[in-house]
Amino acid sequence: MSETKNAIGKILFTEEQIKERAEELGKEITEAYRGEELVLIGTLKGAIIWMADIMKRIDLDTQIDFITASSYGGRTSTSGIVKITKDVELDLTDKHVLIVEDIVDSGVTLSRLIEYLKERNAKSVKICTLLDKPSRRITDVKPDYVGFEVEDLFIIGYGLDYDQKYRNLPYISYLEQ
Ligand code: IMP
Ligand code: MG
């Protein structure tokens, strides 16, 4: 019997709610970039399920890629030092880029990623995040497309982990601390 099971809180968003939201955002994104090509860049590992949900609802000429940004520090907070440990392989020159993120918390990771992708000569860089935790923001990063806003809880499930666990939960919950 795994003791970590007891640490899962209530369900905040079900798979059905998330897919409905993906449908809405997919339409918005399709409208916003109508006639343009778009590169979707998913952030590993947290954004994989959300990436799969959102990409199939975007009706545009699209390429996908992934990036891994690791931040040093504790398990439940970001330290501020961000390192890219798996880079994008596509040429981003003059491409519209949409970063597909799991959650924007302090915004430190994302502000570094935006800066980096602009250095790669992207034409534009915008953000589509499954979750937004604005109460914790310490940067001026503002996601362009947000699935859901969440309170200051440690979120798990649907790709999001605590110590690399819980990513496989088919819903969004939080850790009882
Ligand atoms: P930020 O740089 O503080 O905005 O957050 C960086 C990354 O930390 C996010 O992309 C997530 O991968 C992770 N993270 C932040 N908050 C949470 C959370 O509540 N649960 C799980 N991962 C989180
Ligand atoms: Mg992330």
Side-chain angles (χ1 to χ4, degrees):
M1 180 79 183
S2 144
E3 62 179 282
T4 52
K5 284 248 170 206
N6 300 324
I8 304 175
K10 294 191 195 81
I11 295 179
L12 297 177
F13 306 102
T14 64
E15 188 167 15
E16 199 186 5
Q17 287 175 303
I18 299 164
K19 286 181 190 298
E20 266 173 36
R21 192 69 188 115
E23 187 78 41
E24 292 171 358
L25 288 179
K27 281 188 186 139
E28 263 186 56
I29 293 164
T30 302
E31 278 313 308
Y33 291 90
R34 173 83 55 218
E36 308 272 3
E37 285 177 40
L38 184 62
V39 181
L40 298 174
I41 299 183
T43 58
L44 296 174
K45 306 169 196 169
I48 56 160
I49 309 181
W50 178 235
M51 176 75 156
D53 282 345
I54 206 81
M55 63 185 273
K56 61 192 165 196
R57 293 172 172 97
I58 295 175
D59 185 16
L60 296 168
D61 214 341
T62 298
Q63 292 180 306
I64 70 159
D65 209 333
F66 293 93
I67 195 164
T68 308
S70 300
S71 47
Y72 290 83
R75 287 169 177 170
T76 57
S77 68
T78 307
S79 67
I81 305 156
V82 180
K83 228 186 150 180
I84 288 151
T85 54
K86 186 242 166 272
D87 207 345
V88 169
E89 288 160 23
L90 294 174
D91 180 7
L92 302 180
T93 308
D94 290 330
K95 297 284 169 92
H96 289 293
V97 167
L98 185 62
I99 302 173
V100 180
E101 191 34 315
D102 53 356
I103 187 166
V104 186
D105 189 46
S106 69
V108 170
T109 309
L110 214 44
S111 61
R112 176 70 191 106
L113 274 186
I114 293 166
E115 193 185 329
Y116 177 71
L117 296 171
K118 284 184 174 159
E119 282 165 17
R120 299 273 307 249
N121 300 315
K123 196 191 277 183
S124 71
V125 181
K126 290 196 173 182
I127 303 140
C128 171
T129 187
L130 171 57
L131 299 169
D132 187 13
K133 217 195 276 181
S135 59
R136 299 247 311 167
R137 201 78 88 252
I138 58 167
T139 60
D140 59 7
V141 167
K142 212 178 165 298
D144 302 275
Y145 303 95
V146 175
F148 305 97
E149 218 174 85
V150 288
E151 288 172 53
D152 188 9
L153 294 166
F154 195 81
I155 307 294
I156 51 170
Y158 219 78
L160 288 94
D161 75 305
Y162 172 67
D163 209 8
Q164 298 301 329
K165 284 182 283 205
Y166 309 111
R167 292 193 196 275
N168 57 324
L169 294 179
Y171 52 83
I172 293 169
S173 184
Y174 57 93
L175 205 64
E176 299 270 21
Q177 314 225 16

